[in-house]
Amino acid sequence: MGLFDKMKQAAANVSGNQTVTFTFQALPESLAQMQALPEASLDTPFKTAALTVCALCAYGADKNIGLEMLNWLRGPRPMNGQEISFLNDRFRDGKSYIPFSYFVGASPENGYTPRQPFTLLVGSNHTSNVEEGYCKLFIPCGGADSPRPITLRRKGDGQWFLWEQYLMTGIRIPASADPWA
């Protein structure tokens, strides 16, 4: 890393702007597979955020497996009935493409088919750490104009758990599903 790169990185860290890239050769298909990933240490909020996207992808394929993953990511606070109902509503009518929209290369034009290996960018900004013990991060979405927020909470053991996410909000309809196309 050159001198200017180091200066740019130092300036970004002072202002809170940081982007962490995660690459998955394959997405986990079970809680055991998720827990075997290096990100499963949950020692940074960025890792927990990235695994949340993976869990939402699993939820679209199998609700029980996805729920198991999400509850593990939430730590001592499992999902309640209202939160589960919200997810079920968001996945209704074949919208299992929504969590895939967060991977690099996914767009409405290609039906939210990400490039492989699966790559996620998780970023912070100057508002990310304004509340003690919480971190609000942002994940760019191929179907939205602005990155979507996800909030993580740090527990006493230093692990970061999913607090709330707004990753399942509406995005542009994929070209293959557009009735006006």
Side-chain angles (χ1 to χ4, degrees):
M1 180 182 302
L3 177 62
F4 292 110
D5 292 327
K6 288 180 183 178
M7 289 172 53
K8 195 163 94 177
Q9 183 179 17
N13 289 339
V14 168
S15 64
N17 295 333
Q18 180 181 8
T19 299
V20 179
T21 302
F22 295 91
T23 303
F24 301 95
Q25 296 304 316
L27 298 180
E29 296 180 10
S30 69
L31 178 58
Q33 286 181 7
M34 179 176 274
Q35 290 173 329
L37 294 170
E39 294 82 6
S41 63
L42 307 181
D43 58 348
T44 74
F46 295 91
K47 290 178 181 179
T48 306
L51 290 180
T52 298
V53 174
C54 294
L56 290 169
C57 290
Y59 193 92
D62 184 308
K63 290 180 183 179
N64 292 327
I65 291 172
L67 184 60
E68 189 178 28
M69 290 176 175
L70 288 166
N71 281 335
W72 177 71
L73 290 168
R74 288 174 60 95
R77 196 176 68 95
M79 293 184 64
N80 62 39
Q82 182 180 6
E83 292 164 328
I84 294 168
S85 179
F86 174 81
L87 274 183
N88 289 337
D89 180 63
R90 295 302 166 166
F91 278 101
R92 191 179 336 264
D93 300 327
K95 293 182 181 168
S96 58
Y97 58 83
I98 294 175
F100 287 94
S101 69
Y102 292 97
F103 292 103
V104 172
S107 69
E109 294 76 26
N110 67 13
Y112 295 109
T113 303
R115 290 187 212 128
Q116 290 189 20
F118 300 94
T119 303
L120 278 170
L121 304 174
V122 181
S124 63
N125 66 23
H126 66 284
T127 66
S128 290
N129 295 299
V130 294
E131 189 175 353
E132 182 70 31
Y134 294 85
C135 183
K136 184 176 188 178
L137 299 175
F138 303 88
I139 305 176
C141 173
D145 293 331
S146 59
R148 304 296 187 176
I150 180 170
T151 302
L152 302 306
R153 183 175 183 194
R154 186 180 198 142
K155 289 298 186 179
D157 61 0
Q159 287 187 309
W160 289 89
F161 293 102
L162 175 61
W163 186 252
E164 60 185 11
Q165 55 85 13
Y166 298 98
L167 303 177
M168 294 302 297
T169 55
I171 60 173
R172 290 180 197 87
I173 297 172
S176 60
D178 188 350
W180 304 104

